[in-house]
Amino acid sequence: MSSKTQSIQTIVATAMLTVVSGAAGQVTFTNATTSSGLVSQHAPDSVCMGNDYWMTGGCAVGDFNNDNWPDLYWVGGGLTPDKLFLNSGDGTFTEQAAAWGLGTHSGVGASVADFNNDGRLDIFVTSYGEPGTAGSPGKHRLYRNDGAGFTDVAVAAGVNQASPDRPAGFGSAWGDYDNDGDLDLFVCTWKIPSISPAPGNILFRNNGDSTFTNVTQSAIGAVLDEISGFQPRFIDLDDDTYPELIIAADFGTSHYLKNNADGTFTDLTASSGTGLDTNGMGQTIGDFNNDGLFDWYVTSIHLEGGGTHATGNMLYMATATHQYTETSQAAGCNDGGFGWGTIAVDLDHDTLVDIVEVNGNVDPEQAYLFYNNGDDTFSEIAVASGIDHTDDGRGLAWLDADRDGDLDIVICTNFGALEYYRNDTAPIGSWLHITLDTSGSATLPPNGFGAKVTATIGGQSYIRSMDGHPSYVSTSELIVHFGLGIASVVDELRVQWPDGRITVLKNVAVNQILTIDDSAVIPQCTGDVTGDGAVNVFDLLALLSAWGLNPGHNADFDDNNSVDVFDLLDLLNAWGDC
């Protein structure tokens, strides 16, 4: 094929992808709560939770029985039991909490991860304690998945307590912040700083033996003491394979913390242009303009006419590494009511990432669907799309419940019903689901946490991250999802693993659920740390970021279990090779 023909094909493909975007109103949801069996009524215990009860209501998605169908764990709140809905694979779910050993407690939110790397997904739940009793510290749950049941091992693992002086804990998130191959845990604590300045936002380092160590002070320091945290997230925002920690927090205390790749973080909130939201609650990440940079969306209370709590939602659009410009008003997604859970997903597979948000505060408020128009603006189409939720929404999660390729959503309501909205959008775009299998690696965290996936079609690239997808006291399905327009094939699918290795697949068929493991890496020569077929400055940077004792890292060319000066000399000697 001539280069001229290839160029014409690239232009045509790019133009056709553009044609299918920007069609606001084509998204269609059906409320399938009753028919699916996802029926529950949230009932938080105000005796145990005190005045915090009205901010609770979360859930977490995971394939808990390893049958390749996503299940749902739902937090009841204390006056009703938690629920475990197992996916039957036919559009319905069966409630199995009691059979799996799950009971009743005054829970707030949940997140999912394989914390002990045994191939089964476990659940961390923030909790205030036993219903009907005064809440007390140390009641968080870590449900270890034993195959057909759960065992609470939070106390033995050392993650049962966040705040030392009060029952506390809202959102949580998992990530391998130190790149040692296991998943660490961050737990947020909401508080009124002037009343309770005590610690409560905690970083737990995974020791690799089913226990954790509180490393908050050594890793981050006192900056967290004044944060009124709602929802954290680990995600690599500067492409060094070490995830940053970003926190949506109340009272103007949202924070952006850069991972220094040495076990510590640096506060870049002010210099990055983030932290402008006055009441950060939910958060999500997406490349909303397809420029190859992850943007950050934070929900926050919107009030007409200004006032102390008047910022509304903040859309931090990335302009460079650790640099953002806030554009929510110009983009049309600033007013989201009270603002709680939010997700960023391509709902109609037009290659553009949309935003869904739930909210509410006593008086009924509608949910919002900000449809991405493809021109740096959004159109609000929730009611038109069929999302007619008008209750006190809190948690929000996405999953492909029926395995038809598009993403469905569940809304967790405070003192209200769980609602399931099935995505019935007409098929206007192709799709791709990716699961990341790292079970054969001792140096990569389970389920590919920390990996970045890039799909390239006709010269245009789209990026996604496997980071657990935390929202507000909820987490979504552990897959990577792409909407791909009218494409029939992905020219190149590239996975950047957290240890720096690269996997590239060519000419990947669309409309499939694809599992990728880390064994299929690009053939490397000595010095090619990134696996891109060249030895250059990117390999040098990757080697330096892995410097020190780092057994199994692909920058350890001489296999002496350490990335050191001898490996550096090997790299420099191979400069320009491959």
Side-chain angles (χ1 to χ4, degrees):
M1 182 183 297
S2 70
S3 59
K4 181 177 180 180
T5 301
Q6 289 177 320
S7 298
I8 292 173
Q9 287 186 340
T10 297
I11 293 170
V12 170
T14 303
M16 292 178 76
L17 286 171
T18 303
V19 166
V20 302
S21 67
Q26 293 182 344
V27 178
T28 302
F29 282 93
T30 300
N31 188 329
T33 306
T34 301
S35 62
S36 70
L38 290 172
V39 178
S40 278
Q41 192 80 13
H42 183 255
D45 180 15
S46 60
V47 173
C48 188
M49 296 179 178
N51 291 330
D52 294 354
Y53 78 93
W54 70 279
M55 299 184 291
T56 65
C59 60
V61 179
D63 180 9
F64 301 116
N65 56 1
N66 282 348
D67 66 351
N68 296 316
W69 290 86
D71 311 306
L72 179 69
Y73 172 79
W74 175 84
V75 185
L79 299 182
T80 190
D82 293 356
K83 301 292 179 66
L84 179 67
F85 294 102
L86 297 183
N87 197 323
S88 302
D90 59 1
T92 68
F93 292 76
T94 302
E95 205 288 302
Q96 294 286 309
W100 280 61
L102 299 172
T104 304
H105 65 106
S106 299
V108 177
S111 59
V112 167
D114 179 5
F115 84 93
N116 56 355
N117 203 6
D118 66 353
R120 295 186 289 262
L121 292 179
D122 314 295
I123 308 172
F124 179 77
V125 191
T126 49
S127 179
Y128 279 52
E130 299 305 316
T133 67
S136 59
K139 301 301 183 180
H140 300 325
R141 312 291 179 96
L142 177 58
Y143 290 120
R144 185 189 65 210
N145 189 337
D146 298 323
F150 289 98
T151 301
D152 180 15
V153 296
V155 173
V159 296
N160 60 300
Q161 183 166 319
S163 174
D165 65 345
R166 59 188 290 264
F170 272 78
S172 57
W174 297 86
D176 186 8
Y177 86 94
D178 51 2
N179 264 7
D180 65 351
D182 49 35
L183 289 172
D184 312 298
L185 173 67
F186 192 91
V187 183
C188 269
T189 289
W190 180 89
K191 57 190 177 181
I192 301 175
S194 60
I195 296 176
S196 178
N201 299 285
I202 303 297
L203 174 60
F204 293 104
R205 185 187 66 216
N206 193 326
N207 299 321
D209 59 1
S210 295
T211 69
F212 294 76
T213 299
N214 182 344
V215 296
T216 311
Q217 288 304 310
S218 61
I220 303 174
V223 65
L224 293 182
D225 292 351
E226 296 300 321
I227 291 178
S228 187
F230 271 131
Q231 183 60 57
R233 189 185 203 109
F234 288 103
I235 181 169
D236 178 16
L237 295 171
D238 55 12
D239 244 6
D240 67 350
T241 74
Y242 284 81
E244 275 61 58
L245 173 61
I246 53 178
I247 304 170
D250 208 351
F251 305 116
T253 63
S254 290
H255 269 66
Y256 182 103
L257 304 174
K258 170 182 163 46
N259 192 326
N260 298 322
D262 61 0
T264 69
F265 292 82
T266 297
D267 182 8
L268 296 186
T269 308
S271 63
S272 67
T274 62
L276 304 178
D277 43 278
T278 52
N279 300 96
M281 294 184 283
Q283 63 156 295
T284 191
I285 286 286
D287 181 8
F288 297 111
N289 56 358
N290 286 334
D291 66 350
L293 300 173
F294 287 117
D295 312 303
W296 187 23
Y297 184 73
V298 179
T299 58
S300 183
I301 300 170
H302 181 278
L303 291 181
E304 296 292 344
T308 304
H309 306 301
T311 65
N313 304 324
M314 295 285 101
L315 177 59
Y316 302 111
M317 297 295 293
T319 57
T321 303
H322 302 308
Q323 296 293 313
Y324 298 82
T325 298
E326 202 291 302
T327 65
S328 61
Q329 291 195 15
C333 57
N334 174 257
D335 183 359
F338 211 80
W340 296 97
T342 184
I343 54 176
V345 286
D346 183 354
L347 295 172
D348 59 357
H349 299 161
D350 65 351
T351 77
L352 299 169
V353 177
D354 313 299
I355 299 171
V356 184
E357 173 192 340
V358 295
N359 68 92
N361 178 28
V362 183
D363 294 327
E365 293 186 61
Q366 72 165 85
Y368 288 83
L369 196 172
F370 295 110
Y371 184 89
N372 193 330
N373 297 317
D375 58 0
D376 297 324
T377 69
F378 295 82
S379 297
E380 203 292 298
I381 62 167
V383 174
S385 75
I387 300 178
D388 55 359
H389 187 269
T390 56
D391 213 336
D392 280 354
R394 296 295 183 266
L396 178 66
W398 57 261
L399 71 165
D400 183 6
D402 48 8
R403 286 290 184 255
D404 64 351
D406 53 32
L407 296 182
D408 315 298
I409 65 174
V410 288
I411 298 175
C412 301
T413 303
N414 181 265
F415 254 128
L418 171 68
E419 292 196 4
Y420 165 58
Y421 289 88
R422 187 183 63 227
N423 191 338
D424 290 331
T425 302
I428 65 168
S430 304
W431 56 274
L432 190 63
H433 285 344
I434 299 166
T435 60
L436 299 175
D437 180 6
T438 57
S439 59
S441 173
T443 62
L444 292 175
N447 303 102
F449 268 72
K452 175 183 174 181
V453 185
T454 304
T456 300
I457 303 170
Q460 173 66 51
S461 293
Y462 309 95
I463 61 170
R464 303 289 186 267
S465 176
M466 180 57 244
D467 58 12
H469 317 304
S471 173
Y472 174 83
V473 300
S474 301
T475 52
S476 295
E477 187 175 356
L478 299 184
I479 61 173
V480 174
H481 171 262
F482 286 95
L484 299 170
I486 62 167
S488 59
V489 67
V490 176
D491 299 333
E492 178 182 282
L493 192 64
R494 181 184 183 94
V495 181
Q496 176 180 304
W497 301 99
D499 64 359
R501 290 180 297 158
I502 303 291
T503 294
V504 172
L505 303 178
K506 300 285 189 178
N507 300 319
V508 177
V510 300
N511 299 337
Q512 66 164 321
I513 300 172
L514 177 66
T515 298
I516 303 175
D517 65 50
D518 67 301
S519 62
V521 296
I522 294 178
Q524 300 175 21
C525 66
T526 298
D528 184 17
V529 182
T530 63
D532 63 356
V535 181
N536 51 35
V537 66
F538 299 106
D539 302 295
L540 177 60
L541 293 174
L543 183 147
L544 293 176
S545 70
W547 194 266
L549 184 62
N550 211 329
H553 197 282
N554 56 302
D556 181 19
F557 306 124
D558 56 7
D559 294 322
N560 70 344
N561 292 326
S562 180
V563 178
D564 53 26
V565 66
F566 300 106
D567 302 301
L568 175 60
L569 292 174
D570 285 341
L571 186 149
L572 294 176
N573 188 54
W575 196 269
D577 287 353
C578 280

